[in-house]
Amino acid sequence: MADYDYDLFVIGAGSGGVRAARLTALDGKKVGVAEEYRVGGTCVIRGCVPKKFMVMASEVSHALEIAEGYGWSFDNAKFDWPTFLEAKDVEIARLSGIYAANLGKAGVELVHGRAVLKDAHTVEIVGKDRTITAKKILIATGGRPWKPEELPGIEHAITSEEAFHLPELPKRILIAGGGYIAVEFAGIFAGLGVETTLIYRGPNILRGFDDDVRAHLAGEIEKRGIKVILGCQHEKIEKTETCLINHLENGMKLETDVVMFATGRIPYVKDLGLESAGVELNEAGAIKVDPYSKTTADNIWALGDVTDRMNLTPVAIREAVAFHQTVYRDNPQHFDYEAVATAVFSQPPVGVVGLSEAEARRSCSNGVDVYVTRFRPMKYAFTGSDERVLMKLVVDADSQRVVGVHIVGPDSPEMIQLAAIAVKAGLTKAQWDATCAVHPTMAEELVTLKEKQSGATSAG
């Protein structure tokens, strides 16, 4: 029997890799983890956690506007970018330290450095003159931002990763993209007082979401002062002594201080040595895995964003738990990707679980019942604001199961977590209706929707 340095060696110390490593080490296995940057991965270091801090900071300006409608007054209220950055970085360092400490408490050895596969059982730590062998290997390297390298002037653009560390807050920014990251950062910068333009090549933002959600959010973010340009993209970026000039396909020229590309993320597999270990990629460039996260190499698994299945931090953690149960507990498990709730921390935010109306019409054999409401929430009605909330239920006409819930408005990420329990459990519209409302709340609309919408909803 071969003698290995580790029972399990994990490449990547993000949320998924850390969870798998800890669980396996707590089972008495010898486990090591290599991380080339900082422990915590995309979510903690350069993703959802620092982004949420930025969202919360930027929401204050809107809260101040609303507060004035309630009789409050504020003199000389101002935002200081360096102060925020310092506080954010201190908190991220604290969280990263907790992740590292938890690995240590579980008995996992943390190796700082870039790991490259030399063969199916051997890993080299680049620049450290160290080679490691492992009986089993888990790849959890996540993803990285993508931008069109062939675009003239792209070297002058940043991605979301650099946005967390801008030395100063720009006066003007153009964000290219229409997905989660693009609309979230558009809200962040606009809320911090930056003149913000969002440009997207498609017909509407948030491709893949319900059409009513897309249309509603596009209108609402414009109310927050964000200029949205659809069906258009860059021709080139020109740098001058004073600004960046964005030359667009429609002939427009926009001057900004910063250009940010949020045009998607790709699996981080570059120079990882996959071919040497017999690990294949799929057509999309992600690591090919079976339902149990096993790669094409017998002793190597992969999970999280590097597999490009459902790129959400809680999903990577659940995949890690399933991996541990399958490989080390003789209890084969795979994660169920159906009815996974997600939130977009745009301003206003979006909460979604289940099928869009279009998806439901394709999958429900005898059609769907659709319930939609748009209303001005109590908080805004008092101040005279014209911001509105969207709530939508999609119901299988045969079974009457609620198969999709879509919310755009304040606190929608909090509401959708609980709605996801009902959707996952397969509750019917009658059971939703039988649930007594909590009044006065926005959420009560979810259990008081009675009128079916006739015909198809409008396209976004």
Side-chain angles (χ1 to χ4, degrees), residues 296-433:
T296 50
D298 284 341
N299 66 297
I300 300 178
W301 286 257
L303 54 80
D305 291 7
V306 77
T307 64
D308 198 27
R309 287 175 286 184
M310 184 175 284
N311 298 338
L312 298 170
T313 296
V315 171
I317 292 171
R318 295 291 291 270
E319 289 172 350
V321 173
F323 158 80
H324 172 255
Q325 288 289 323
T326 299
V327 177
Y328 292 103
R329 289 289 185 90
D330 194 27
N331 180 27
Q333 291 185 6
H334 58 80
F335 179 66
D336 178 9
Y337 298 93
E338 183 180 356
V340 174
T342 187
V344 183
F345 292 98
S346 49
Q347 298 181 42
V350 176
V352 171
V353 64
L355 303 178
S356 69
E357 181 182 345
E359 290 170 334
R361 289 190 183 280
R362 289 193 295 267
S363 63
C364 298
S365 56
N366 286 318
V368 297
D369 297 331
V370 178
Y371 300 81
V372 180
T373 181
R374 296 174 178 85
F375 60 93
R376 189 165 57 168
M378 184 178 180
K379 181 177 182 179
Y380 295 153
F382 187 85
T383 66
S385 169
D386 65 346
E387 294 189 45
R388 303 183 76 80
V389 169
L390 167 75
M391 291 186 178
K392 180 173 183 176
L393 300 182
V394 182
V395 180
D396 183 324
D398 268 352
S399 67
Q400 284 297 294
R401 283 183 55 215
V402 176
V403 295
V405 181
H406 308 269
I407 311 173
V408 183
D411 300 318
S412 58
E414 305 294 338
M415 286 186 268
I416 209 66
Q417 178 67 84
L418 298 181
I421 298 172
V423 173
K424 191 72 172 177
L427 299 189
T428 65
K429 181 63 166 60
Q431 289 171 310
W432 283 65
D433 293 344

Side-chain angles (χ1 to χ4, degrees), residues 283-296:
E283 293 179 355
I287 293 180
K288 185 189 298 184
V289 291
D290 69 10
Y292 299 93
S293 295
K294 190 173 185 179
T295 73
T296 50

Side-chain angles (χ1 to χ4, degrees), residues 210-249:
D210 187 272
D211 285 336
D212 280 332
V213 169
R214 302 171 71 191
H216 188 87
L217 182 64
E220 291 299 309
I221 66 174
E222 287 189 307
K223 293 177 184 177
R224 299 285 184 103
I226 299 168
K227 182 178 181 179
V228 180
I229 302 174
L230 298 172
C232 187
Q233 57 187 341
H234 278 86
E235 281 191 342
K236 66 177 180 179
I237 302 169
E238 177 188 355
K239 182 176 177 60
T240 70
E241 292 184 0
T242 58
C243 68
L244 297 173
I245 302 177
N246 298 270
H247 296 261
L248 307 183
E249 287 182 339

Side-chain angles (χ1 to χ4, degrees), residues 38-59:
R38 297 172 66 186
V39 177
T42 295
C43 182
V44 173
I45 305 301
R46 52 185 177 268
C48 31
V49 173
K51 176 199 68 186
K52 187 69 178 292
F53 290 142
M54 294 178 80
V55 168
M56 291 188 287
S58 64
E59 286 176 332

